[in-house]
Amino acid sequence: MIEDKVRLEFMGDQALLLRLPEDVSIETGEALDRLLSLRAALLREFEGVRGIEDIIIGYRSVAVYARFEDVAPEDLLARARRAIQGSGGAPVASTRPGAVVTLPVVYGGSFGPDLGEVAERAGLSPQDVIRLHQEAVYRVAMVGFSPGFAYLIGLPEPLRVPRRETPRSRVEQGSVGIAGFQTGVYSFATPGGWQIIGRTPVALFDVRRSSPSLLAPGDEVRFEAVTEEEYHGGFGAYT
């Protein structure tokens, strides 16, 4: 059983990390399913326990952040082991069951300067790239890099092109990129090396929201092509 191979290690005095074995696939969503089930079991095990600050999913791990002055490391380990043994049931499909977030995107032009290169590498027309990208349903594998940046799995095989050889010093907020088997949206303007094929007006992170990050691990995402006029005129409607 995979649950028997989960490795536990402390991240200094900040957290306990539960790591899946390397042969659990990230690309297929197997790792995500296991981690969602594991996180659900950890939430049950640590419910009401003083000192637990957060339980966060990564690509192949889940971290239990805790104040060690309030919860003993040995108690963390014992509870985590019980959670591991209790997490082998049916995978949890989503942190918000049934929710699919649709993000409007202007593809190509100044909004997606790498669309042509992606099409050339894939041996497709730009229109086919757009069609394939927006036909797929993606899953949020993890959130990281910058607040609200969601790594999405489920990219169609023909669109799986490598990162740019030279990263850009600035990628605009809302830029939709491709890197290997992933697609994602830049939540802030930052340096980045993903192939940029479009841009969305939707704010992926907003501290004014009750949950600042729009997306969470397990959520499903679709992209929908819109015009530049719709982009400029509908920012408020989408955010």
Side-chain angles (χ1 to χ4, degrees), residues 51-134:
I52 303 302
E53 297 187 323
D54 211 344
I55 302 176
I56 298 176
I57 285 177
Y59 248 153
R60 201 186 293 278
S61 62
V62 56
V64 181
Y65 286 86
R67 298 188 303 274
F68 284 15
E69 62 269 25
D70 293 327
V71 55
E74 55 268 26
D75 189 24
L76 273 177
L77 282 170
R79 290 178 179 272
R81 290 189 178 111
R82 287 200 294 269
I84 291 169
Q85 293 306 313
S87 67
V92 178
S94 175
T95 53
R96 293 182 288 187
V100 177
V101 178
T102 299
L103 298 177
V105 178
V106 178
Y107 288 96
S110 61
F111 292 91
D114 298 324
L115 177 62
E117 181 176 342
V118 169
E120 184 176 349
R121 283 176 174 269
L124 300 168
S125 69
Q127 291 73 26
D128 283 336
V129 171
I130 295 169
R131 176 182 56 80
L132 287 171
H133 190 261
Q134 67 175 346

Side-chain angles (χ1 to χ4, degrees), residues 13-35:
D13 61 353
Q14 301 293 314
L16 175 65
L17 190 70
L18 292 75
R19 191 187 301 276
L20 297 178
E22 293 295 319
D23 59 355
V24 180
S25 172
I26 294 172
E27 296 182 36
T28 64
E30 180 187 7
L32 176 59
D33 286 336
R34 295 289 180 180
L35 292 170

Side-chain angles (χ1 to χ4, degrees), residues 77-214:
L77 282 170
R79 290 178 179 272
R81 290 189 178 111
R82 287 200 294 269
I84 291 169
Q85 293 306 313
S87 67
V92 178
S94 175
T95 53
R96 293 182 288 187
V100 177
V101 178
T102 299
L103 298 177
V105 178
V106 178
Y107 288 96
S110 61
F111 292 91
D114 298 324
L115 177 62
E117 181 176 342
V118 169
E120 184 176 349
R121 283 176 174 269
L124 300 168
S125 69
Q127 291 73 26
D128 283 336
V129 171
I130 295 169
R131 176 182 56 80
L132 287 171
H133 190 261
Q134 67 175 346
E135 282 180 351
V137 178
Y138 304 92
R139 300 178 72 200
V140 179
M142 64 169 284
V143 177
F145 169 59
S146 62
F149 185 104
Y151 291 81
L152 307 179
I153 56 176
L155 186 69
E157 189 74 36
L159 303 185
R160 298 184 180 187
V161 299
R163 288 173 169 82
R164 291 174 54 83
E165 291 184 7
T166 303
R168 291 183 171 90
S169 60
R170 178 184 174 92
V171 177
E172 296 299 329
Q173 178 179 334
S175 293
V176 178
I178 289 174
F181 63 87
Q182 312 160 117
T183 189
V185 180
Y186 282 73
S187 50
F188 291 92
T190 62
W194 289 31
Q195 304 280 2
I196 304 304
I197 62 172
R199 193 185 305 168
T200 179
V202 175
L204 273 290
F205 189 86
D206 189 339
V207 295
R208 297 169 296 183
R209 293 194 293 246
S210 57
S211 297
S213 180
L214 179 66

